[in-house]
Amino acid sequence: MRDAKPNKERSPKKPASAERQPGVRRSDAARIPGASVHTSLASEIGLRIVRGDYPPGTILPNEAKWSETFSVSRSAVREAIKMLMAKSLLASRPKIGSWVEPKERWNLLDRDVLAWYATSPDREVFLKTVQEFRHIIEPEASAFAAMRRTEEQMAEISQACREMGEAASLQERTRADTRFHLAILRASGNDLLVPLGVLIESAFDHLFTFTTRAVDDLNHVQKLHEAIEKNIRLQRPDAARAAVRKLLANTDNVIKSR
């Protein structure tokens, strides 16, 4: 979506019929391919909030201003604001309007919020946050996977690991890498980790894209993943935990070197 800017010149008055139709927009208005008007608008506003254009506590423009800025109907603006309120980025009150909530209230496990967070200018903070999360969760999840995984789950882990090594592009390798780690979370047998893994899938994708592009020796990284796969397959929880920590230490070094 392109970064639309407010039009300071007075726009020609639109036909009343167009104003009454939800989602009506000019053909040159910003839009995410395949998304509804209000979803595209929520994405644009959400991205601006997360990257700091509108700091916490900021009162946002009113419906009329957003409508003029993005050339969309007011009903589309209202739906976009509702979406952002549901993600805890915004709060609203009659006669005051909508304002940006404190960052600690944002739902950072929401797929959209994570995606906006990942593309914000302060990417280094995002990468470190994801890595800290991985240090907390993944070593123990891998140890549990080594003890509890089923044959079907093991096949999923092994296939993802193999596809990483056979990937012909950065995108293929990144997706296989994400599948590998999410499969381990599922194999851990802890029901709370399964939905958590799905929610952070977007964060993993962004992290692995960054680190894979920055790595000079992909063969070394592949061997680190294969060591994790092997120890889970052989049901060695302590060795699986140690293998994950070795991989995470390598990723830490990649992030620090950038």
Side-chain angles (χ1 to χ4, degrees):
M1 175 181 291
R2 67 174 182 270
D3 192 7
K5 296 182 179 180
N7 183 2
K8 296 182 180 180
E9 298 180 3
R10 191 175 186 83
S11 302
K13 187 175 182 180
K14 299 179 182 178
S17 59
E19 285 292 341
R20 289 194 298 269
Q21 296 178 23
V24 168
R25 54 194 289 282
R26 288 204 304 263
S27 59
D28 62 344
R31 179 78 180 271
I32 295 176
S36 63
V37 176
H38 70 268
T39 299
S40 294
L41 181 57
S43 181
E44 178 63 28
I45 297 174
L47 177 59
R48 293 183 180 199
I49 292 171
V50 172
R51 75 186 182 194
D53 292 4
Y54 300 107
T58 301
I59 302 294
L60 294 183
N62 59 27
E63 284 183 11
K65 189 63 177 177
W66 283 129
S67 180
E68 177 188 357
T69 299
F70 292 101
S71 301
V72 298
S73 68
R74 292 193 182 189
S75 63
V77 174
R78 285 193 292 273
E79 289 303 313
I81 296 301
K82 287 180 183 178
M83 287 183 65
L84 296 174
M85 289 175 64
K87 299 175 188 297
S88 299
L89 267 66
L90 297 179
S92 182
R93 188 175 299 172
K95 298 183 179 180
I96 297 178
S98 301
W99 65 89
V100 180
E101 287 277 62
K103 187 175 180 179
E104 57 267 23
R105 295 185 184 177
W106 297 355
N107 183 6
L108 290 178
L109 291 181
D110 179 274
R111 286 177 179 271
D112 293 331
V113 179
L114 271 174
W116 302 332
Y117 188 16
T119 56
S120 64
D122 201 359
R123 172 170 288 192
E124 185 177 351
V125 172
F126 167 76
L127 295 175
K128 289 180 178 179
T129 300
V130 175
Q131 272 300 99
E132 287 176 0
F133 173 86
R134 296 182 69 198
H135 276 284
I136 295 169
I137 298 297
E138 290 195 59
E140 294 308 314
S142 297
F144 280 123
M147 293 185 286
R148 300 171 176 174
R149 56 80 175 164
T150 64
E151 291 301 318
E152 183 179 356
Q153 290 169 334
M154 190 65 241
E156 185 180 10
I157 294 170
S158 299
Q159 181 178 351
C161 187
R162 183 171 59 254
E163 289 177 355
M164 281 183 62
E166 298 172 350
S169 67
L170 173 63
Q171 183 179 34
E172 287 181 8
R173 184 177 179 85
T174 298
R175 293 299 169 84
D177 200 348
T178 300
R179 288 197 304 273
F180 175 80
H181 292 279
L182 295 183
I184 292 175
L185 292 183
R186 287 191 290 271
S188 71
N190 186 301
D191 291 340
L192 292 179
L193 290 182
V194 176
L196 187 61
V198 173
L199 286 171
I200 64 172
E201 183 176 354
S202 175
F204 277 19
D205 276 344
H206 285 282
L207 173 65
F208 296 153
T209 296
F210 175 86
T211 54
T212 301
R213 185 181 289 118
V215 167
D216 294 326
D217 189 357
L218 287 178
N219 185 54
H220 173 64
V221 175
Q222 180 64 24
K223 288 181 179 179
L224 292 175
H225 283 81
E226 290 172 356
I228 298 171
E229 186 274 344
K230 177 181 178 180
N231 286 301
I232 293 176
R233 175 164 41 83
L234 296 178
Q235 297 184 301
R236 300 171 178 169
D238 291 337
R241 183 188 295 112
V244 171
R245 286 175 175 160
K246 190 172 182 180
L247 173 66
L248 292 175
N250 183 78
T251 305
D252 289 340
N253 290 332
V254 172
I255 293 174
K256 290 176 183 178
S257 67
R258 296 296 286 175

